[in-house]
Amino acid sequence: DLFGILSGILLSKTVGTSVQAVLSVWVLLQVVEVSCVYKQLRSVVFRMLNFERLWIVTNSFIDLTMMESTNGNSSSVLGRTSRDLLRNGSARDIAVPTPDAVAKDERLFLPPNHLARRGRSFGSFGRAKLSPTELQSLIELFRKERFMLVVGRDVKNPHVRLNRLSGLVGANQNQDNSHDDRLKEIIEQLKFEAEENCHIILHVDANNADIVKSTLALAILRRKLSQSVPTLDELKAVSDSIALEKVVDTYRNRRSNDCMDLIENAREEANETFGLFLKVLSVRGWTTPARSMFGRVTMRADWPTRRKNSRKETML
């Protein structure tokens, strides 16, 4: 404090006492202060997972272990296929971001990326307005889990990022570059909506380990839904704008009953890789799920489960 007062007195003698000079110096000092605070916060490394950090690490894990290459073969990591890594690989072979790497890119003043927000990933039964048939099918599918994956638009909070999709669909269809660009925009919008229009429902007894597992399953499901949208060649083959609009609406309005096979595959793959994922988190320096801070997820539901608590779950 004394050093600051002394610096202020010396600075006032140098720049004078006019209002313009004082305001200019004040603005300059504020910029310096904010920059110093930013550097200070950026240097802090959190080893404890919150949902945004978990989402970053989860997507990296999927990229390294589960994604297929463009030619249909398993992708290669360190000279080994993804299937071999999952079956026989060591957790040290899977280089997901460390806490230091995530800290360098983590958003400090800006909100998380849209799909990395907790509010977009967790919801309730009413968010997609499940029918009794869908609800019964999902309860049966997730009877051994303390979470559930649901596909469907958010009817409580409608949100569409690109409102001009209808205009793109109804535009004149000419086989030229501008038409191809419109189709590519339609595909990108369909991929975005496919990833956005699915969420997790947590059971009332779900713990942090269940949140991590459900996040892994949701990330897998989002990838599968995004990859299932029509390709450019498939949209080009559609004869007219009316038929194109029907195709687009079919994918935009998909619900859980339409994607039950994808939901089941995502759940099974999450079960297969969850143990390895926990080992990878530990090896890369992250804390165990029991010590993670995901905040309070108040939207929970209750359904009959066949799962019993175990000593291993308590340790997680």
Side-chain angles (χ1 to χ4, degrees), residues 80-145:
R80 305 173 65 178
T81 66
S82 59
R83 293 193 184 97
D84 181 48
L85 267 176
L86 288 176
R87 292 174 183 172
N88 309 308
S90 166
R92 298 184 183 277
D93 297 333
I94 305 173
V96 301
T98 62
D100 298 277
V102 171
K104 293 179 181 178
D105 299 324
E106 192 170 5
R107 293 188 173 191
L108 298 178
F109 301 120
L110 297 175
N113 290 326
H114 186 70
L115 294 176
R117 298 176 188 177
R118 192 177 58 189
R120 296 306 314 164
S121 300
F122 296 94
S124 63
F125 289 123
R127 174 168 157 178
K129 207 172 182 179
L130 289 173
S131 67
T133 305
E134 286 177 314
L135 180 58
Q136 188 58 42
S137 299
L138 290 172
I139 288 176
E140 185 61 32
L141 184 61
F142 289 93
R143 190 171 290 276
K144 294 183 180 180
E145 306 293 346

Side-chain angles (χ1 to χ4, degrees), residues 192-208:
F192 169 78
E193 291 189 13
E195 294 190 27
E196 184 184 44
N197 294 337
C198 57
H199 66 277
I200 302 165
I201 300 176
L202 288 178
H203 193 271
V204 290
D205 296 328
N207 55 27
N208 277 2

Side-chain angles (χ1 to χ4, degrees), residues 3-42:
F3 179 75
I5 294 172
L6 178 62
S7 300
I9 293 173
L10 295 176
L11 191 61
S12 65
K13 291 182 178 180
T14 303
V15 301
T17 57
S18 67
V19 175
Q20 184 177 0
V22 171
L23 286 176
S24 301
V25 172
W26 179 81
V27 171
L28 177 62
L29 292 177
Q30 288 298 310
V31 171
V32 172
E33 181 185 12
V34 172
S35 300
C36 291
V37 170
Y38 176 81
K39 292 291 185 181
Q40 184 181 18
L41 293 175
R42 181 60 74 190

Side-chain angles (χ1 to χ4, degrees), residues 63 66-76 82-83 227:
D63 288 338
M66 302 171 69
M67 287 293 98
E68 301 295 318
S69 61
T70 55
N71 60 8
N73 299 321
S74 293
S75 57
S76 177
S82 59
R83 293 193 184 97
Q227 292 172 350

